Amino acid sequence: MSDTSLQAPGAGTIPGKVTASRKGTRTRRRFRPNGSALVMGLYLLFLMLPIYWLVNMSLKTNAEILGAFSLWPRELTFANYTKILTDASWYMGYVNSLIYVVMNTVISLAVALPAAYAFSRYSFMGDKHLFFWLLTNRMAPPAVFALPFFQLYSSVGLFDTHIAVALAHTLFNVPLAVWILEGFMRGVPREIDETAYIDGYSFGRFFVRIFMPLVASGIGVTAFFCFMFSWVELLLSRTLTSVDAKPIAATMTRTVSASGLDWGVLAAAGVLTIVPGALVIYFVRNYIAKGFALGRV
Amino acid sequence: MNKTVNQKAWFLVLPVLVLVAFSAVIPLMTVVNYSVQDTFGNNVFFWAGLDWFKQMLHSDRMWNALGRQLSFSAIILAIEVPLGVFVALNMPKKGFWASFCLVVMSLPLLIPWNVVGTIWQIFGRVDIGLLGYALNKLGISYNYTQDFFAAWATVIVMDVWHWTSLVALLAYAGLQSIPDAYYQAAKIDQASRWKVFRYIELPKMMGVLMIAILLRFMDSFMIYTEPFVVTGGGPGNATTFLSIDLVKMALGQFDLGPAAAFSLMYFLVILLISYVFYTVMVNLDKREGK
């Protein structure tokens, strides 16, 4: 009994060899933590294998990819990465994507902050309907909006600009931002607002000086999710751009259909699109569930 | 959770309203416009009434796409929900390995959707992909570009790979909120592992699990990029789901009327599910507020 319960909860789930070497202990109680470790090990392996294969291919030459089948690169090469980072038609894809994604994050946060505050603090005419209507936009299939967006932005002369994609992505990012922020803001006690007003703060000063620092983590998480959802979206950004604002995602798909041969470069481009998410993932790990569930967990 | 009534709060919501109206209401009205008109080109339109809707309701093409879509959503839900819960139950509760699992599991969720497609396109290829190569070496004939079954299996496994973590993370968040006292009480009652799951963990997880199911249903219902990159809707029309068919119709063939009617019906289904989702959310909030 004490044997398992004293063990640190994570210790039993070390994947791989560490736990396997302990299989000498045959008590039944040992079984559960080891079973968990096995399950998690297998699941994480399932998740990492395709990603590993992509990284593996990005480090090979095309001759090696098509020639011999090998589990790891025999002739390690960074030529694929050099090609992307030195060829403007490739790296401009990343720059374009970053520009519209950042624009979108700023716009979404700017309009969502006051709205989320209003939803979390006040009740007003039609608030529930409005909140629901926002949700329907997060759930709207981009395919439905692709054609009308194309015509709308063409008619106002914004086709193939970064701002067009940024505005189009507000369709699902603004509702997302409002919902997540509202989830965080309701955790801040109302007494703080009231005290601040008694102390003579105006609404604007109170909001920027006192309230925003209190929900700083919420703002960070929201920014991350706006960034992420705009970054992973392809259908709208591809429809709304042709040359000047073409995102990296579209650059990748067009290369596939045009040549269909340069697997190494394609894989390297894929790896580079995973990097931004992978870099910050550690900081938001505890909020991932909350963000994907629109602030409701 | 008593909120003060304040009609001036409308001013705080106004920017969102204007922005979303611009990017949602105007396009949607364009769609409505197209759905009731016909054209012979040159921007000359005339009233067509509900003809397009009737035509779409009688078209095999839409019903087939809807059928494929529903089977796809049903299959991935049947796999991802139990698997996600199972993984969540086996996750370490705290410490380094908990963080490690969270980070690795989140990784597929943050990969651009077309790259997810690319990853599986490469992974499944018979000549250069680990999966395709290994399966063929094992004597299983597998080629997702030609074989109906292989194409479906690839798309489904890809979705399971991509999104099971979402279900797992939500279920995990639900599990974390169960106080230790519940488990201690169960231990005193000498409850079996199954009973602990059935009567403590599952009821406590139900709220978040509903969210997970609805999210997965909705997102799988409008899936476009991943299958488009991997199979392009093929072989034949085997993996042409609703969104793929719609984009083909609207942007490929430029059949504006039918595509618009299709869009609106598609959107109504989503609206209906959104309402269920919203009701679940609100009930969950109420329960928390008590």
Side-chain angles (χ1 to χ4, degrees):
Chain A
M1 191 83 190
S2 59
D3 202 351
T4 35
S5 58
L6 278 180
Q7 196 179 26
T13 44
I14 299 164
K17 295 192 176 81
V18 184
T19 41
S21 66
R22 277 200 213 142
K23 62 176 181 254
T25 45
R26 269 178 295 123
T27 44
R28 231 184 102 84
R29 273 170 255 119
R30 275 275 176 205
F31 175 71
R32 232 178 70 74
N34 278 355
S36 296
L38 190 69
V39 169
M40 286 315 290
L42 283 177
Y43 182 64
L44 296 186
L45 185 72
F46 167 62
L47 292 184
M48 292 317 291
L49 214 53
I51 299 179
Y52 167 73
W53 200 249
L54 189 76
V55 176
N56 175 22
M57 281 197 33
S58 72
L59 296 172
K60 287 178 180 176
T61 59
N62 268 322
E64 194 190 341
I65 292 171
L66 296 170
F69 189 86
S70 60
L71 288 176
W72 60 89
R74 298 275 156 79
E75 305 155 46
L76 196 67
T77 171
F78 290 97
N80 297 321
Y81 290 96
T82 343
K83 183 172 179 200
I84 289 173
L85 296 174
T86 52
D87 184 350
S89 66
W90 269 104
Y91 69 74
M92 278 317 283
Y94 288 98
V95 176
N96 289 333
S97 288
L98 279 175
I99 292 174
Y100 73 68
V101 164
V102 169
M103 276 169 137
N104 172 272
T105 308
V106 172
I107 297 173
S108 302
L109 274 180
V111 298
L113 270 170
Y117 180 78
F119 280 120
S120 76
R121 288 295 189 267
Y122 303 118
S123 76
F124 46 92
M125 205 173 66
D127 55 350
K128 296 209 172 62
H129 300 289
L130 198 59
F131 210 48
F132 172 62
W133 176 65
L134 282 177
L135 176 75
T136 63
N137 289 312
R138 158 64 181 79
M139 301 304 178
V144 169
F145 286 89
L147 177 68
F149 270 155
F150 175 72
Q151 295 184 320
L152 175 67
Y153 288 108
S154 300
S155 65
V156 292
L158 284 175
F159 178 71
D160 202 15
T161 57
H162 301 105
I163 190 75
V165 184
L167 283 175
H169 282 180
T170 57
L171 172 71
F172 47 83
N173 266 353
V174 165
L176 178 84
V178 173
W179 274 70
I180 299 182
L181 281 173
E182 203 267 344
F184 275 94
M185 284 179 181
R186 69 165 68 201
V188 179
R190 297 178 50 94
E191 285 74 17
I192 290 174
D193 307 29
E194 282 151 18
T195 318
Y197 292 138
I198 291 168
D199 286 350
Y201 276 88
S202 68
F203 173 73
R205 235 167 72 98
F206 154 73
F207 197 78
V208 176
R209 285 285 185 74
I210 297 177
F211 196 72
M212 275 170 61
L214 280 175
V215 290
S217 63
I219 296 174
V221 172
T222 312
F224 171 78
F225 274 94
C226 288
F227 189 94
M228 223 51 244
F229 276 103
S230 184
W231 180 257
V232 300
E233 207 280 335
L234 171 72
L235 179 55
L236 291 178
S237 55
R238 195 187 58 178
T239 311
L240 290 176
T241 56
S242 62
V243 183
D244 294 337
K246 191 157 87 170
I248 179 61
T251 317
M252 279 178 69
T253 48
R254 281 177 200 186
T255 309
V256 177
S257 53
S259 62
L261 284 169
D262 210 347
W263 293 104
V265 175
L266 179 72
V271 173
L272 286 177
T273 61
I274 304 177
V275 171
L279 279 183
V280 282
I281 197 170
Y282 181 77
F283 301 103
V284 292
R285 66 187 185 282
N286 291 324
Y287 299 104
I288 289 269
K290 189 164 187 162
F292 276 103
L294 305 155
R296 290 297 183 289
V297 164
Chain B
M1 283 307 285
N2 288 324
K3 298 177 185 173
T4 27
V5 177
N6 182 352
Q7 301 300 347
K8 279 187 204 144
W10 260 102
F11 287 108
L12 296 173
V13 195
L14 207 59
V16 164
L17 200 66
V18 172
L19 187 65
V20 181
F22 176 74
S23 61
V25 177
I26 297 178
L28 209 56
M29 285 322 289
T30 324
V31 176
V32 173
N33 223 351
Y34 283 133
S35 71
V36 290
Q37 300 187 69
D38 198 358
T39 178
F40 292 124
N42 297 329
N43 265 331
V44 185
F45 288 90
F46 53 87
W47 178 253
L50 294 176
D51 286 357
W52 293 127
F53 289 92
K54 282 178 200 149
Q55 189 191 319
M56 285 317 290
L57 280 175
H58 291 112
S59 93
D60 285 343
R61 179 176 171 180
M62 193 190 85
W63 287 110
N64 288 342
L66 184 68
R68 284 190 290 266
Q69 183 70 68
L70 285 174
S71 349
F72 175 73
S73 294
I75 293 173
I76 62 120
L77 275 179
I79 300 175
E80 285 175 16
V81 173
L83 185 63
V85 172
F86 182 62
V87 168
L89 287 173
N90 282 301
M91 271 177 77
K93 298 284 177 292
K94 52 184 175 241
F96 169 76
W97 288 109
S99 299
F100 178 81
C101 287
L102 281 176
V103 168
V104 175
M105 283 167 62
S106 312
L107 206 52
L109 300 172
L110 307 179
I111 297 176
W113 296 340
N114 71 310
V115 178
V116 171
T118 309
I119 288 177
W120 281 87
Q121 189 191 25
I122 293 175
F123 196 58
R125 272 182 73 98
V126 187
D127 48 351
I128 56 174
L130 184 60
L131 180 70
Y133 188 82
L135 281 179
N136 275 320
K137 278 283 159 199
L138 288 172
I140 303 162
S141 117
Y142 168 90
N143 189 335
Y144 66 81
T145 52
Q146 284 161 18
D147 183 30
F148 170 86
F149 181 74
W152 266 81
T154 311
V155 173
I156 285 167
V157 172
M158 173 175 69
D159 201 80
V160 168
W161 177 83
H162 192 183
W163 289 111
T164 303
S165 295
L166 176 67
V167 182
L169 289 174
L170 287 176
Y172 181 68
L175 281 177
Q176 292 286 69
S177 68
I178 303 176
D180 262 350
Y182 283 64
Y183 291 111
Q184 284 155 9
K187 206 177 244 177
I188 291 168
D189 290 346
Q190 294 193 320
S192 66
R193 182 74 193 86
W194 165 251
K195 289 219 162 131
V196 170
F197 174 72
R198 174 67 189 80
Y199 294 105
I200 296 177
E201 290 173 334
L202 194 61
K204 277 280 175 184
M205 258 194 305
M206 220 46 221
V208 276
L209 214 53
M210 275 306 286
I211 294 181
I213 292 171
L214 284 164
L215 273 177
R216 275 318 299 136
F217 179 74
M218 242 169 315
D219 286 345
S220 69
F221 206 72
M222 49 203 203
I223 190 167
Y224 171 80
T225 313
E226 300 97 314
F228 179 77
V229 173
V230 175
T231 63
N237 274 332
T239 51
T240 303
F241 301 123
L242 281 178
S243 275
I244 297 181
D245 207 17
L246 180 57
V247 172
K248 239 185 230 172
M249 208 186 285
L251 294 172
Q253 304 160 346
F254 238 68
D255 284 337
L256 295 182
F262 188 167
S263 299
L264 283 182
M265 288 187 275
Y266 194 176
F267 197 68
L268 280 180
V269 175
I270 296 283
L271 209 63
L272 199 72
I273 310 162
S274 292
Y275 187 71
V276 178
F277 187 89
Y278 182 73
T279 318
V280 171
M281 289 271 197
V282 169
N283 285 337
L284 200 67
D285 286 353
K286 266 193 205 140
R287 217 189 316 162
E288 259 173 35
K290 262 183 205 166

